Amino acid sequence: MGIQASHAFPGGHSLSAPLERTSLDTSLNPGQPTPSPILQGLADRFRPLLLLAAWYLGLGVLLRLTLWLGFGREAQVPASSLLWVLPAGAVSDVVQSLYFLLPLALYLGLKSARKPKRTWGPAVPAIATFLWTLGWLFMAACEYFFFEEFNARFNLVSVNYLMYPTEVAGDIWSEYPVVKILAVCALLAGLTAWKFQSLWARALSVPLSLRIRSLALAAYGALLFLAIAWIPTNLFGVSANRVTNELAANGPSSFFRALRTSEIDYHAYYATRPPAENLKRLEAQLSPGGGTFTRLAEGRLDRQFPARPGGLGKMNVILVSSESFGAEFSQLYGSTRNWTPEFDHFAQKGLWFRHVYATGTRTVRGLEALTTSMPPVPTEAVLRRPGHDGMATLGSVLRSHGYQTSFLYGGYGYFDNMNEFFRSNGYEVLDRTNLRTKPRFENIWGVSDEDLFDMAMTHADERTAKGAPFFIHIMNTSNHKPYTFRSGLESIGVKASGGGRESGVRYADFAQGQFLRDAESHAWFKDTLFIIVADHGARVYGRQEIPLKTYEIPLMFYAPGRLAPRRSDGLMSQIDLAPTLMGLLGLPYTAPWFGQDALNTPESGRVLLFNHNDHVALMKDGTLSILGLHGSRVSKVYDAEKDRYQLLPSGTAHDDLAVAYYQTAYELFKAKKYN
């Protein structure tokens, strides 16, 4: 039996507790100072909470070290950085633990004392401990795999993916050992809950008065309020190396920050300039590309382009935006990997562009750029924003010339709001639900590219029968995890399963090449211009906020007998594709597009536009101007040959041009003036 001690509290309250290993009686520990009975009681009552917080901090340290070993060193994060990354990360984790432990704090603060009746503690805190630790262990595993794919903590990609749980859950289940990970996490969580049983029993037996417990909860609430009011999520994002900042961050906190900023008011968070000044800068920047500005007085950028003599005329157009088909896999773009022999073959028989860059790192950004010729406004693509109907798209411009316009997708088109966006902008939309035959193979993301191209071929036949030219935009899906394919393609390096990214790229390339060859047997082939371009690169990696090497993509125009083989070496953005196509066809049009005709605009002074999470950027003449939240502006010189960046003083000339592009694009879209 333990010694019982009773102590009077101010106001008549008392504390009685068994003293088995420690005592408040100094006679048992002569020479030791007498601890405050209130503080001792609070420590005993809230000890499980403190230990769970310590457990969470320990998990954070372990995860940061694992991420550094696996990915940080590749991104040139030196070991010395851990000397501040780990303490900074611990501070972030402490703040987050205040949020995540609040339910247990309330339980301990509101639960009255009870005598332990058995060795095992009460069921509620045991179950809570198990679920709490299981959740965070599994979350740590998810963070590891997410970092492996995106070189970042949870960000806007994770927010967007949660909007489509069917595809994402199916992908995760197919690609990762979910059952094994859950089993290990459950085992560790069970051991933790078992170890905490006696702690919970002892804590709940401490008879603190309601007044004392309420004061403790008030102090907890005050700390939480201070954390909310004074400690931003990116408090320690101070390194010039993006990955270093990601290591120091807290994953769940980064997720909620992305959730809060997924669709925000540009003017509230980003640098701005007077709209009239922005229009003047854009007028000067866009004028070398030709066209006559027709509505500048209305605050619009509409340009009118006359017919271009020598154009190809009203050819059919088939545009393939190819999933994750980065330039890093093509020998034409300097890669040592020969994974795209079909693209390389056909590109040299057509018009291929050597220096092309995507505007973002997700399909929705690629579709936005190719379809609307608009800068990637932060932080959400227009496909997912309300008010995107009736925009000045490539389809609407071609329809003004009598074209039939369609969008075909290999998956379910509700993903990323594709079906709704294209339908509300006048396209006929077909997705995997419109496939008339059993697919060769399929997974959670879509049917095989071969089946998608077969559907496109049939659709083109049907459009031709109507007697009007057609524009078909195809978005494929097979080059995507879980990388499962049909058998019989092993000779070209495509494994039915387990082949990873290489099999994905090789299969997409094979299917595109087969599509171009099969199209030759159709009557419309000789009057059709084919375009193959990536929606984005394969993977985001690198230490920079805008890792430019990641954004390089292949592009070719192919029309044998109508388009002579040649190569274009000037810089080109995805937003330039629509005006370049219209210039090549030679058709007159009027549109508020920000892009330029890459074949008829001087190469010097061209701009590239980029988005990555909540950062946007503009590159001109080798200078990269980056705009971030809270009005931040950073300028760097980029050396493409060495993939190196050098920081420049703030306020360079291109900073204001970057603001002009993004602010104006946002304002035109919100005011419904991009039509």
Side-chain angles (χ1 to χ4, degrees):
M1 296 295 293
I3 302 172
Q4 296 291 323
S6 179
H7 299 272
F9 279 39
H13 302 287
S14 63
L15 167 66
S16 298
L19 306 175
E20 297 182 358
R21 288 187 295 272
T22 63
S23 175
L24 301 180
D25 188 345
T26 57
S27 64
L28 298 180
N29 295 283
Q32 296 297 320
T34 303
S36 165
I38 297 178
L39 294 178
Q40 183 65 53
L42 288 171
D44 291 341
R45 169 55 75 107
F46 290 97
R47 182 170 285 114
L49 204 68
L50 296 173
L51 290 176
L52 283 174
W55 179 94
Y56 182 70
L57 265 63
L59 180 65
V61 170
L62 180 61
L63 179 59
R64 286 184 180 87
L65 290 173
T66 302
L67 294 178
W68 177 76
L69 288 170
F71 316 109
R73 293 179 297 174
E74 179 186 2
Q76 301 174 15
V77 179
S80 59
S81 293
L82 295 176
L83 296 176
W84 73 266
V85 164
L86 294 180
V91 172
S92 297
D93 293 347
V94 166
V95 171
Q96 293 309 304
S97 68
L98 290 172
Y99 293 94
F100 304 141
L101 290 170
L102 179 59
L104 292 177
L106 291 172
Y107 179 81
L108 285 168
L110 299 176
K111 186 76 171 174
S112 59
R114 51 165 286 171
K115 293 182 179 180
K117 296 180 180 179
R118 55 188 182 278
T119 303
W120 287 87
V124 171
I127 294 172
T129 302
F130 174 78
L131 294 177
W132 196 88
T133 52
L134 173 63
W136 290 121
L137 285 167
F138 187 72
M139 190 65 65
C142 292
E143 281 202 68
Y144 175 85
F145 291 114
F146 189 88
F147 212 103
E148 179 184 40
E149 182 72 14
F150 298 103
N151 222 208
R153 298 281 191 168
F154 295 136
N155 53 27
L156 282 171
V157 175
S158 62
V159 172
N160 291 336
Y161 274 9
L162 284 183
M163 305 300 176
Y164 306 97
T166 301
E167 285 82 354
V168 175
D171 183 30
I172 291 173
W173 185 265
S174 301
E175 182 66 17
Y176 302 105
V178 177
V179 174
K180 292 180 180 178
I181 292 172
L182 274 174
V184 172
C185 292
L187 176 62
L188 294 175
L191 290 172
T192 303
W194 177 70
K195 294 292 289 184
F196 269 68
Q197 279 289 312
S198 58
L199 289 172
W200 281 110
R202 285 197 296 272
L204 292 172
S205 68
V206 178
L208 284 177
S209 69
L210 179 60
R211 175 173 174 268
I212 298 301
R213 287 181 277 132
S214 298
L215 290 173
L217 287 179
Y220 191 102
L223 288 174
L224 187 57
F225 173 79
L226 291 174
I228 295 172
W230 297 103
I231 303 180
T233 301
N234 59 340
L235 176 64
F236 298 105
V238 296
S239 174
N241 187 317
R242 179 185 63 84
V243 177
T244 303
N245 294 330
E246 297 286 355
L247 292 175
N250 175 278
S253 176
S254 297
F255 171 83
F256 287 113
R257 179 171 181 260
L259 185 63
R260 289 194 306 272
T261 59
S262 61
E263 187 189 332
I264 58 178
D265 178 13
Y266 178 92
H267 302 88
Y269 287 89
Y270 291 86
T272 61
R273 300 284 298 171
E277 293 184 14
N278 289 337
L279 284 175
K280 287 182 180 179
R281 285 190 173 85
L282 290 172
E283 181 184 9
Q285 175 64 35
L286 297 175
S287 290
T292 302
F293 289 94
T294 59
R295 304 178 72 176
L296 280 175
E298 302 172 46
R300 297 179 55 125
L301 284 175
D302 301 55
R303 282 183 290 167
Q304 184 179 58
F305 291 85
R308 186 179 296 278
L312 298 176
K314 286 188 179 181
M315 294 187 69
N316 303 314
V317 179
I318 295 180
L319 167 62
V320 179
S321 46
S322 189
E323 172 68 46
S324 303
F325 202 66
E328 62 195 280
F329 308 118
S330 167
Q331 286 190 333
L332 282 183
Y333 292 86
S335 174
T336 57
R337 293 174 283 193
N338 186 24
W339 294 1
T340 62
E342 295 290 349
F343 177 91
D344 294 0
H345 168 76
F346 284 104
Q348 293 177 87
K349 291 188 172 184
L351 168 60
W352 72 278
F353 297 82
R354 178 61 181 85
H355 298 292
V356 185
Y357 288 81
T359 61
T361 57
R362 292 202 60 228
T363 297
V364 70
R365 284 297 190 184
L367 293 176
E368 171 189 62
L370 297 171
T371 305
T372 69
S373 188
M374 174 184 279
V377 293
T379 53
E380 188 63 273
V382 297
L383 275 73
R384 296 171 55 87
R385 291 177 181 264
H388 59 219
D389 55 303
M391 296 183 67
T393 63
L394 176 56
S396 69
V397 169
L398 288 173
R399 277 196 303 276
S400 70
H401 288 282
Y403 277 73
Q404 308 167 80
T405 59
S406 308
F407 174 74
L408 278 62
Y409 179 54
Y412 294 116
Y414 63 78
F415 186 79
D416 270 340
N417 210 37
M418 284 185 257
N419 281 0
E420 198 281 328
F421 171 79
F422 282 100
R423 284 192 181 119
S424 67
N425 281 284
Y427 289 72
E428 181 180 357
V429 175
L430 288 79
D431 64 7
R432 70 189 293 176
T433 63
N434 299 101
L435 193 66
R436 300 172 186 174
T437 59
K438 183 179 179 181
R440 293 171 175 83
F441 65 87
E442 60 185 322
N443 57 39
I444 195 63
W445 287 107
V447 300
S448 77
D449 288 355
E450 293 168 272
D451 292 300
L452 174 63
F453 288 133
D454 285 349
M455 182 166 66
M457 210 88 71
T458 301
H459 188 68
D461 290 341
E462 294 170 350
R463 299 309 93 188
T464 300
K466 292 189 175 184
F470 60 75
F471 167 58
I472 302 175
H473 186 163
I474 304 171
M475 180 70 231
N476 63 16
T477 62
S478 294
N479 181 20
H480 198 294
K481 291 180 178 180
Y483 302 120
T484 54
F485 309 96
R486 67 176 176 87
S487 58
L489 300 175
E490 290 79 7
S491 62
I492 60 171
V494 179
K495 299 179 181 179
S497 63
R501 176 67 72 184
E502 180 176 355
S503 287
V505 174
R506 287 186 180 277
Y507 176 75
D509 181 65
F510 156 77
Q512 288 161 181
Q514 179 175 269
F515 172 59
L516 293 177
R517 291 189 176 90
D518 290 347
E520 293 179 10
S521 62
H522 292 254
W524 44 262
F525 174 79
K526 64 182 184 300
D527 297 315
T528 301
L529 172 64
F530 297 87
I531 304 172
I532 295 180
V533 62
D535 62 343
H536 56 80
R539 177 175 173 260
V540 181
Y541 57 89
R543 59 187 294 184
Q544 300 294 327
E545 289 296 347
I546 306 289
L548 292 178
K549 199 72 174 177
T550 300
Y551 289 77
E552 192 173 8
I553 57 173
L555 168 64
M556 73 165 178
F557 287 21
Y558 176 72
R562 301 291 297 275
L563 187 61
R566 61 171 166 148
R567 163 177 168 168
S568 175
D569 285 329
L571 288 177
M572 182 176 175
S573 168
Q574 274 179 324
I575 72 167
D576 298 326
L577 186 142
T580 301
L581 170 61
M582 294 305 298
L584 190 63
L585 296 177
L587 302 177
Y589 72 98
T590 300
W593 292 344
F594 286 79
Q596 298 276 56
D597 180 350
L599 299 175
N600 294 285
T601 302
E603 291 187 12
S604 61
R606 292 184 184 179
V607 301
L608 300 175
L609 300 166
F610 306 99
N611 161 270
H612 187 213
N613 296 327
D614 50 33
H615 287 83
V616 290
L618 174 146
M619 190 169 78
K620 180 179 179 180
D621 300 330
T623 299
L624 185 70
S625 297
I626 305 171
L627 308 180
L629 292 173
H630 310 297
S632 68
R633 305 199 296 186
V634 176
S635 295
K636 301 178 181 181
V637 172
Y638 178 60
D639 184 338
E641 292 295 325
K642 299 179 180 179
D643 193 30
R644 291 180 181 175
Y645 302 74
Q646 181 181 346
L647 192 65
L648 290 175
S650 60
T652 63
H654 301 333
D655 287 359
D656 287 341
L657 183 60
V659 172
Y661 267 92
Y662 291 104
Q663 181 183 340
T664 304
Y666 177 84
E667 291 170 349
L668 290 177
F669 175 76
K670 295 297 286 186
K672 299 289 285 185
K673 292 182 177 180
Y674 202 80
N675 53 16

